[in-house]
Amino acid sequence: MPVAVTGSIATDHLMTFPGRFAEQFVEGQMENVSLSFLVDDLVQHRGGAGANMAYGMALLGLRPVLVGAVGSDFADYEAWLARHGVDTASVHWSQLRHTARFVCTTDSDNNQIASFYSGAMVEAADIELEPVARRVGDLDLVVVGPDDPTAMVRHTEECRERGYPFAADPSQQLAWAGGSMIRALVHGAEVLFTNEYEAALLCQKTGWSPDEVLERVGVWVTTRAADGVLVRRAGEPPLEVIAVPETKPVEPTGGGDALRAGFVAGRVWGLSLERATQLGSAVATEAVEVVGTQEYELEREPFLERFAEAFGRDAADEVAQHLPA
């Protein structure tokens, strides 16, 4: 059952400044800021929401089709994804731009100064889904993740026109998108993914109440960090799933993408909404216990044992029928 994942593909360059940014600014001189911070380290990680979700789905045995735009510097990253089971044949390679890049420096107070270079991502708007479907044999689901805004709108419209079921994951793009664009991205989605803040922002910008959102989507999945996940459907009681307890939380970045990967995989397997959400919660916890959004692994027996501790042996046995060795 082919699942296409559209969204950003990027590399993250993360640095640590041992001091405090606040101590470097001079009162009355903010309009003339010119600073250079001597950092302790530089770590580069593979990232981007689309690639992160595809990686998680591949760990769970799916063969996700990644759809996005990259630069000529993508060769090593592509090899990594292909080695882990991601279909990268529909990725567009730019002849002019580098792969999108996130550069972030964090100080001792966990304040951050960051820049994002969209690069080749702007060319994602040139990608059409129909050739992708023709290559892999129709599409059972298209995840429209955060990407170039024009690309997100185009992919969503094409899904509606061609009848491809789609999941809406506007995520970070909600912060700047207007109400009309958000309404266009959400309407008709089989699944809508947000976190709590994004859920409130979506309602504020669209003018829709939560009930009105539910009239336009099949399932609304809202992540709530340590409070777990809230799943809502029109006319039905809400479903709440706990967050699988962390044993060694390290870095929250990528947890949401991992949860989406687990949820989609569970639904593709034919699991119930509750079980698919539990799977997403478990995968998310694995992701936040390592540094880097694609550095976690899913070792079958330890993963199932942890799943059983959180949700019961019967639930783990059901997941075990689908989890690859």
Side-chain angles (χ1 to χ4, degrees), residues 69-138:
V70 299
S72 59
D73 54 346
F74 183 61
D76 288 344
Y77 194 166
E78 181 189 37
W80 163 268
L81 291 171
R83 189 168 73 250
H84 285 85
V86 177
D87 180 338
T88 60
S90 292
V91 171
H92 166 79
W93 289 62
S94 171
Q95 300 300 310
L96 302 173
R97 300 175 175 89
H98 291 294
T99 302
R101 193 160 300 171
F102 176 68
V103 180
C104 180
T105 303
T106 304
D107 74 358
S108 58
D109 291 332
N110 280 327
N111 294 315
Q112 295 181 320
I113 296 177
S115 300
F116 183 79
Y117 165 72
S118 58
M121 195 172 80
V122 300
E123 297 181 25
D126 299 330
I127 301 173
E128 189 172 2
L129 296 176
E130 194 276 334
V132 179
R134 191 167 60 245
R135 180 178 69 82
V136 301
D138 213 352

Side-chain angles (χ1 to χ4, degrees), residues 77-297:
Y77 194 166
E78 181 189 37
W80 163 268
L81 291 171
R83 189 168 73 250
H84 285 85
V86 177
D87 180 338
T88 60
S90 292
V91 171
H92 166 79
W93 289 62
S94 171
Q95 300 300 310
L96 302 173
R97 300 175 175 89
H98 291 294
T99 302
R101 193 160 300 171
F102 176 68
V103 180
C104 180
T105 303
T106 304
D107 74 358
S108 58
D109 291 332
N110 280 327
N111 294 315
Q112 295 181 320
I113 296 177
S115 300
F116 183 79
Y117 165 72
S118 58
M121 195 172 80
V122 300
E123 297 181 25
D126 299 330
I127 301 173
E128 189 172 2
L129 296 176
E130 194 276 334
V132 179
R134 191 167 60 245
R135 180 178 69 82
V136 301
D138 213 352
L139 295 171
D140 292 290
L141 181 69
V142 177
V143 180
V144 182
D147 201 346
D148 174 76
T150 304
M152 295 171 69
V153 172
R154 177 175 184 177
H155 297 332
T156 304
E157 290 177 346
E158 187 177 356
C159 285
R160 280 194 285 259
E161 291 169 2
R162 299 188 185 278
Y164 304 145
F166 70 97
D169 180 23
S171 294
Q172 303 98 317
Q173 302 295 32
L174 287 172
W176 71 268
S180 60
M181 177 181 169
I182 297 171
R183 288 191 288 269
L185 292 174
V186 168
H187 189 85
E190 287 211 350
V191 183
L192 168 63
F193 291 108
T194 62
N195 61 31
E196 279 189 295
Y197 180 80
E198 291 164 354
L201 189 61
L202 186 149
C203 289
Q204 175 186 309
K205 289 196 169 188
T206 60
W208 292 338
S209 68
D211 286 342
E212 289 173 324
V213 174
L214 290 172
E215 291 173 1
R216 293 164 171 83
V217 303
V219 178
W220 188 359
V221 179
T222 303
T223 58
R224 304 181 297 176
D227 291 329
V229 187
L230 176 66
V231 181
R232 288 172 283 182
R233 287 178 291 177
E236 298 190 23
L239 169 67
E240 296 188 60
V241 171
I242 65 167
V244 174
E246 301 166 348
T247 58
K248 48 178 182 178
V250 173
E251 168 57 59
T253 306
D257 296 332
L259 184 140
R260 288 150 171 75
F263 180 90
V264 169
R267 295 301 282 169
V268 169
W269 293 347
L271 300 183
S272 67
L273 272 179
E274 180 179 26
R275 198 71 73 235
T277 308
Q278 291 170 343
L279 179 62
S281 177
V283 176
T285 296
E286 297 288 337
V288 302
E289 291 185 339
V290 298
V291 177
T293 57
Q294 296 176 33
E295 302 303 324
Y296 67 99
E297 298 178 354

